Amino acid sequence: MHDPRVLLDPATDAVRKLARRGFTLDTAYLEKVLSGRNAAIGRGDDARAESKRLSAEVKTASAQDRPALVGQSRDLKSTVSEADAERDRLDAELTEYLLGIPNLPADEIPDGTSEADAEIVRTWGEPVEIEGAKDHVTVGEAVGILDLARATKLSGPRFAVLTGKGPRLERALSRFFLDLATERHGYTEFSVPTLVNREAVTGTGQLPKFEQDLFKTGVADRDLYLIPTAEVPLTNLHARETLTAEDLPLAYTAHTPCFRSEAGSYGKDTRGLIRLHEFSKVELVRVVRPEESRAELELLVGHAETVLQELGLAYRVVKLAAGDTGFSSEMTYDIEVWLPGQGQYREIASASDFGQFQARRAGIRTRSKDGTRGFAATLNSSGMPIGRTLVAILEQGQQPDGSVRIPEVLVPYCGFDTLEPA
């Protein structure tokens, strides 16, 4: 959540920056609510101070003067109560408005509102054209690992059933991703809840704006949300905590199921594994010092790229345009894997620098040994989604005889190097 004083500071240039992502900052409204809140605080403080003075005066007042002083004291207490109520009302109004303001996009990202405006940063591997290339659904069904019809029978559209060697390959991918993150890149692995409270999803920016994209349930006296990504519980591990700045960065990872309603996306990617309501993913989260967040973003996207390089999957990295960057992010790199069955690159992962945006919302503070206080910066990336990686393996690994070649690095994990036609 933003500091309103920073948004109103001309040096921040918040109006222009937010306009790049299609958001109009109402500075007049913000100034009105903020000044009203400050005035209410001032009235309450003045009345409290005067009430305290009168209380001392009442003790020494004569019997003749005491009733008038008591009456004034009663009026002042009423003024304090009214001022506090006004302050609380305006506090809530201000918070509601601030929670709906997206992060300020970095100046170094391109202008634009769609993926067509993204800047291509680099390409890795050869996007080989395969004659007669089939999409991953056709390939997956042919080698007997994918059953969408039975998934639909169980849960409706946008769910998947893996069978045969499919679940073994799914387990192999998750183990490989976690081993790479923990053993080579130094991440600490967590097992975290997949149901979290409203405060947690507000802290990372999914609420209140994107409530329609979440699955909501309840336990006893509280609302809980199924996580859209392990970013939510991993980042909120340190909510309302003060971290020692010299102990940063922190690097966390987890493999979890993820749940997304995909509200508003019907008609897109309805076939196959690309846009499911339920899928699994290994997530990477970093909590860092703000001045190091850009360097940490480059490190993070490199960790995600290493996964695809080890798998031998051709991909490219693009820098998203301001109007296409996620609500909480200052800057995002998308990693797009080559899908010969579609003849194009498709997003497989995103790596984002949130600056202090999430830390302010979640209350993740820092304190240096010299006493300097502030907020941490947070970042996250997929490291990778299991389903979309499987899509890339099926499409890039398809062979003329209908089989699928498994990346060599996965063979020790899954125990086979080929998926044969069923």
Side-chain angles (χ1 to χ4, degrees):
M1 187 167 66
H2 296 284
D3 182 335
R5 296 165 299 181
V6 173
L7 290 177
L8 292 172
D9 184 347
T12 304
D13 203 11
V15 172
R16 179 190 64 83
K17 290 180 178 180
L18 288 169
R20 295 182 69 211
R21 63 189 309 159
F23 184 91
T24 301
L25 180 65
D26 191 342
T27 54
Y29 171 78
L30 192 57
E31 287 175 337
K32 177 183 175 183
V33 175
L34 188 61
S35 63
R37 171 183 171 274
N38 291 340
I41 292 173
R43 287 197 305 274
D45 288 346
D46 290 346
R48 259 184 287 269
E50 180 65 9
S51 178
K52 184 177 180 180
R53 186 189 67 77
L54 279 179
S55 294
E57 191 174 333
V58 166
K59 293 177 183 178
T60 60
S62 66
Q64 182 180 357
D65 294 337
R66 186 174 292 119
L69 292 172
V70 168
Q72 292 177 45
S73 180
R74 188 182 304 114
D75 291 342
L76 285 168
K77 288 179 180 178
S78 177
T79 298
V80 168
S81 179
E82 291 172 359
D84 286 350
E86 178 71 356
R87 176 205 62 201
D88 291 345
R89 183 186 70 79
L90 290 172
D91 258 338
E93 188 175 335
L94 181 62
T95 297
E96 181 181 7
Y97 184 65
L98 292 172
L99 285 174
I101 300 174
N103 204 350
L104 304 180
D107 288 335
E108 61 261 43
I109 65 178
D111 289 327
T113 59
S114 72
E115 60 185 28
D117 301 308
E119 172 189 324
I120 298 175
V121 177
R122 56 184 168 271
T123 301
W124 188 92
E126 186 65 33
V128 179
E129 297 287 347
I130 300 174
E131 186 176 353
K134 300 177 177 63
D135 69 17
H136 73 279
V137 175
T138 302
V139 176
E141 290 176 342
V143 295
I145 69 167
L146 184 60
D147 191 336
L148 296 178
R150 287 191 170 90
T152 301
K153 179 170 65 175
L154 292 173
S155 306
R158 299 202 181 211
F159 289 89
V161 165
L162 295 181
T163 185
K165 291 182 176 179
R168 289 174 60 188
L169 188 54
E170 186 177 46
R171 291 198 307 275
L173 285 167
S174 64
R175 289 173 55 207
F176 168 64
F177 295 164
L178 287 169
D179 284 352
L180 191 58
T182 57
E183 295 176 11
R184 188 185 303 185
H185 295 147
Y187 288 79
T188 301
E189 183 180 358
F190 285 81
S191 177
V192 291
T194 53
L195 284 167
V196 295
N197 58 31
R198 186 176 186 89
E199 187 176 9
V201 279
T202 301
T204 44
Q206 285 79 19
L207 289 182
K209 185 175 177 61
F210 301 105
E211 186 153 8
Q212 64 175 347
D213 295 323
L214 302 173
F215 287 103
K216 181 179 177 181
T217 183
V219 175
D221 60 345
R222 64 190 188 277
D223 291 333
L224 293 172
Y225 295 84
L226 288 163
I227 61 171
T229 163
E231 168 201 345
V232 176
L234 287 176
T235 303
N236 281 281
L237 287 172
H238 294 296
R240 303 179 309 283
E241 293 182 11
T242 298
L243 307 175
T244 301
E246 288 79 7
D247 291 340
L248 302 180
L250 304 176
Y252 296 159
T253 187
H255 173 228
T256 65
C258 304
F259 305 88
R260 297 181 184 176
S261 72
E262 296 291 354
S265 65
Y266 287 91
K268 298 191 300 183
D269 298 320
T270 56
R271 175 175 163 84
L273 302 176
I274 290 180
R275 200 180 295 272
L276 297 175
H277 291 309
E278 179 182 357
F279 58 98
S280 65
K281 184 154 67 101
V282 170
E283 194 75 1
L284 308 175
V285 165
R286 300 183 73 83
V287 182
V288 308
R289 286 182 279 192
E291 64 271 18
E292 298 174 351
S293 68
R294 284 293 188 273
E296 288 282 341
L297 177 61
E298 298 300 326
L299 181 69
L300 179 61
V301 74
H303 291 164
E305 288 182 75
T306 299
V307 177
L308 298 181
Q309 292 173 8
E310 291 285 316
L311 293 171
L313 297 173
Y315 69 89
R316 71 181 184 185
V317 178
V318 301
K319 186 186 296 183
L320 293 191
D324 196 34
T325 299
F327 179 84
S328 298
S329 178
E330 288 183 354
M331 178 174 172
T332 295
Y333 287 115
D334 267 5
I335 302 174
E336 300 178 340
V337 72
W338 174 249
L339 297 182
Q342 297 187 24
Q344 62 178 322
Y345 287 98
R346 295 298 306 273
E347 179 201 342
I348 190 171
S350 291
S352 296
D353 178 3
F354 304 113
Q356 296 176 297
F357 186 79
Q358 291 182 333
R360 285 185 175 276
R361 294 169 74 104
I364 306 172
R365 291 175 167 82
T366 61
R367 182 175 58 237
S368 300
K369 290 179 180 178
D370 65 5
T372 303
R373 294 174 177 268
F375 287 92
T378 61
L379 305 95
N380 92 288
S381 174
S382 301
M384 290 280 176
I386 308 302
R388 292 193 180 195
T389 306
L390 184 55
V391 168
I393 290 172
L394 291 174
E395 295 209 9
Q396 290 197 33
Q398 59 184 296
Q399 303 298 308
D401 63 358
S403 65
V404 174
R405 177 182 55 81
I406 300 301
E408 184 178 347
V409 72
L410 286 181
V411 175
Y413 289 91
C414 63
F416 53 86
D417 61 8
T418 306
L419 295 171
E420 298 290 349

